[in-house]
Amino acid sequence: MATLKELSRVEERFVGGHRLCAGCGHGISVRMILNAVEDANVVVGCATGCLEVASTIYPYTAWNCSFIHNAFENAGATISGVEAAYRALKKRGKIDRDFKFIAFGGDGGTYDIGLQSLSGAMERGHNIVYVCLDNGAYMNTGIQRSSATPTGADTTTSPAGKVIPGKQQPRKDLTAIMAAHNISYAAQTAINNWQDVHKKAKKAIEVEGPAFLNVLSPCPRGWRYNTPDIVQITKLAVETRFWPLYEVENGKWKLNYKPKKYVPVEEFLKPQGRFRHLFKPGNEHLIKAIQEEVDSRWLALLERCGETPELPPR
Amino acid sequence: MTPYNPFNRNFGTGTRTKAVRPDMKWHELTRAGNIYEPGNANTYETGDWRSIRPVWNKERCIHCLMCWRYCPDASVIAKGGKFETFDYKHCKGCGICAKVCPVNAIDMVPEDEIKKVKEANKDEE
């Protein structure tokens, strides 16, 4: 494991001057992942989303590497096409350098709109890495619900009112869907633990064949928490088991972090404005339902990872 | 200036060698809106978004580089594995660096206070 001192010597591939909001989780995640590439040449593709519209406003680009522009639904298809073209040219001896291929997508462009092209790219077995930066809604267009939005969250298309308390449906488990493609590597990680992100990004890049990373990347605007607390809020998501850290390597599930203590999911919901309505009197059953969902998902995950399915001690 | 010809497939490629500038006319722009200079967002300054400014405290800093790791704007410049300086041209003042610092070596100071101090210093001169 490289230290920060060594990593800080790696060339910056996502430079300042992009127009992401102050304190955006995407900037942190992208810098961590591209830092793990180290000296290799890299080609980046980006599905439409906050990251894409904020980093490549013509005539500027924040990407200090090759970048290919995409529509919302085809980041997986484009990057697999680029990879196939690269392999063909390499075979004919027209390219002599080695390249790595990374696609970034938000949760809207991955969970919903880009799922078919991503699924195709994974099935065809291209040597690519797809990174989903999950901030739990379509933040770019004004915080609309996506299938990554957690139950009970207040968004502009699932507003919390007198009758309906935010989003009704549970969240889609995309990492498990990707693992079901039997790809070389699929992992879920969060930026509060940079060693974990670095290790998983490095593994994903080095592995032969398709790899998928799901990174929890908080959005201060959409989640409505105090901007500097980004690490604390991500840590709470991991500690409350809302966002477990695990990886699936060639079909083998492995849990990377097991909280030592039982932390109720309220701790994660409380600092966020999008869940404020859940703490009004009379809404206790909603929090209880969210807690039950989190617990049942955690037990199912433990079983998949071959560990004893039990909740952490209170 | 090349006259516009829709059949000229290389139209606009004259700018391949130079950077695209915001003040260029439409016919001077690159074909398909390509950008040939990677990382040129560096020339775009987002520092004026900032309302609070991170100020580095040299005595307290232990050069752990957590601020460098968690800066979304690549505005913490590390040189030779050590904290060098803040890039105030791009720092948006989010305050994450001050929060992740384990020894509180970064203070967030409101910009107008810095302005007042500067003005006071000017008056003395």
Side-chain angles (χ1 to χ4, degrees), chain A residues 4-5 7-9 16-20 22-24 28 31-32 35 58-61 63 191-192 194 228-231, chain B residues 20 22 30 33 35 39-41 43-44 49 63-65 68-73 80-81 90 92 94-96 99-100:
Chain A
L4 283 183
K5 275 193 174 35
L7 293 175
S8 70
R9 291 189 169 93
H18 58 74
R19 268 146 290 167
L20 291 166
C24 178
I28 303 173
R31 284 189 61 228
M32 279 184 187
N35 190 254
Y58 193 76
Y60 298 106
T61 174
W63 300 90
I191 53 168
N192 71 307
W194 69 263
D229 294 338
I230 190 160
V231 176
Chain B
V20 185
T30 49
I35 304 167
N40 63 356
T43 56
Y44 187 89
W49 295 18
H63 300 281
C64 65
L65 296 181
W68 169 82
R69 177 93 280 187
Y70 281 100
C71 179
D73 295 292
H90 296 110
K92 292 169 189 158
C94 61
I96 293 174
K99 198 86 188 187
V100 296

Side-chain angles (χ1 to χ4, degrees), chain B residues 14-124:
Chain B
T15 48
R16 272 196 187 212
T17 47
K18 52 186 178 183
V20 185
R21 295 184 320 273
D23 57 322
M24 279 179 164
K25 300 256 164 43
W26 66 269
H27 50 74
E28 294 173 298
L29 296 178
T30 49
R31 189 158 175 243
N34 290 338
I35 304 167
Y36 293 97
E37 199 187 13
N40 63 356
N42 242 337
T43 56
Y44 187 89
E45 294 180 8
T46 50
D48 50 359
W49 295 18
R50 186 176 60 238
S51 61
I52 43 171
R53 169 190 288 245
V55 178
W56 180 51
N57 191 319
K58 197 180 173 183
E59 282 78 45
R60 269 183 269 168
C61 183
I62 53 168
H63 300 281
C64 65
L65 296 181
M66 280 300 269
C67 49
W68 169 82
R69 177 93 280 187
Y70 281 100
C71 179
D73 295 292
S75 294
V76 175
I77 297 165
K79 229 180 203 171
K82 281 196 161 182
F83 182 98
E84 175 89 6
T85 179
F86 283 113
D87 175 5
Y88 288 120
K89 280 186 177 157
H90 296 110
C91 169
K92 292 169 189 158
C94 61
I96 293 174
C97 51
K99 198 86 188 187
V100 296
C101 182
V103 290
N104 295 325
I106 298 166
D107 298 318
M108 296 306 289
V109 185
E111 282 287 333
D112 45 346
E113 249 172 58
I114 287 171
K115 219 181 245 173
K116 268 181 216 160
V117 170
K118 264 186 194 164
E119 272 163 24
N121 286 348
K122 242 181 217 169
D123 291 341
E124 277 170 29

